[in-house]
Amino acid sequence: MWAEIDWTRAPEGTHRPALAFTGGGRSIQVPLLVVNDGERARRRARGFVEAHGYVSVDAAHFDREVPRGGARWRIVRGLGRRTAAVEAVPTTAQPVTEDLTAGSPELRYRVRFTTAGTFPVTVFRLPSLDERGERRLAVGLDDQPPAVLSGQAIATGNRGDAWVRNVEEGVEKLTARVTVSAPGEHVLRVFMVDPGMAVDQIVIDTGGAAGGYLAPPESYRRT
């Protein structure tokens, strides 16, 4: 069943109504969270919108790509679980391990949060390793220091069960935490650390994302 809101009649503000389903001698209440910032605010809003307790992003749908140091992110059609993924190229570029915000190629995603707090952000990356047995990237929100995430390394020549599972599933999930200081529009930033890193999806869990094999459906995005 699909429920929609008549925004012309919904009062402004944050509301928590419920849908009641009755039948077979039972009644089930399904809670909803309705946030109406008003028509003017909706016209100004840009980016991915938090809803259902998460923000889900297809990595190829960035707002801006910033090349730096002779490296960049490129969209690779047909790669990943939906329509495309993004890859840090060229593979011969030098890793960037210091001063990422000034020297690393970057992806920026505008996100509109309805809640504040510190939340896990999970990057779904395509499993691949370089000659050192790892690949890294970094994520951050706004001007916060980015956190470096490392793909599964090969230890003593044995890839282990975790790496085998990642290859079988075609994805490795790397998680950091970001702090949303206040509801409203923010910028999620993804930085290359090692070239060849390929990113498929990104999920920020604000309290409602269900665990599972796949990322949730992509969040509503206003461009």
Side-chain angles (χ1 to χ4, degrees), residues 29-51:
Q29 297 285 326
V30 180
L32 303 178
L33 174 63
V34 178
V35 181
N36 184 3
D37 293 333
E39 180 62 29
R40 184 177 179 182
R42 285 198 298 274
R43 288 198 303 266
R44 294 198 308 266
R46 294 292 182 272
F48 291 93
V49 179
E50 176 196 350

Side-chain angles (χ1 to χ4, degrees), residues 85-190:
V86 289
E87 181 187 18
V89 293
T91 56
T92 54
Q94 291 298 310
V96 181
T97 57
E98 297 180 356
D99 201 7
L100 296 174
T101 58
S104 171
E106 176 185 350
L107 296 170
R108 296 179 183 175
Y109 304 86
R110 283 194 288 190
V111 179
R112 186 171 181 81
F113 289 95
T114 59
T115 53
T118 299
F119 307 117
V121 51
T122 299
V123 177
F124 290 60
R125 76 107 178 186
L126 304 181
S128 65
L129 302 172
D130 59 19
E131 66 277 4
R132 294 171 296 110
E134 65 178 344
R135 276 205 166 102
R136 300 163 293 176
L137 54 70
V139 295
L141 192 72
D142 300 327
D143 294 328
Q144 299 170 22
V148 175
L149 303 176
S150 178
Q152 178 72 41
I154 299 175
T156 63
N158 182 7
R159 293 172 174 82
D161 293 340
W163 178 251
V164 171
R165 184 172 61 253
N166 292 336
V167 173
E168 289 175 345
E169 295 183 354
V171 69
E172 182 179 17
K173 302 171 186 177
L174 309 177
T175 301
R177 299 184 74 84
V178 295
T179 298
V180 180
S181 57
E185 191 173 304
H186 297 265
V187 178
L188 180 68
R189 308 171 72 183
V190 177

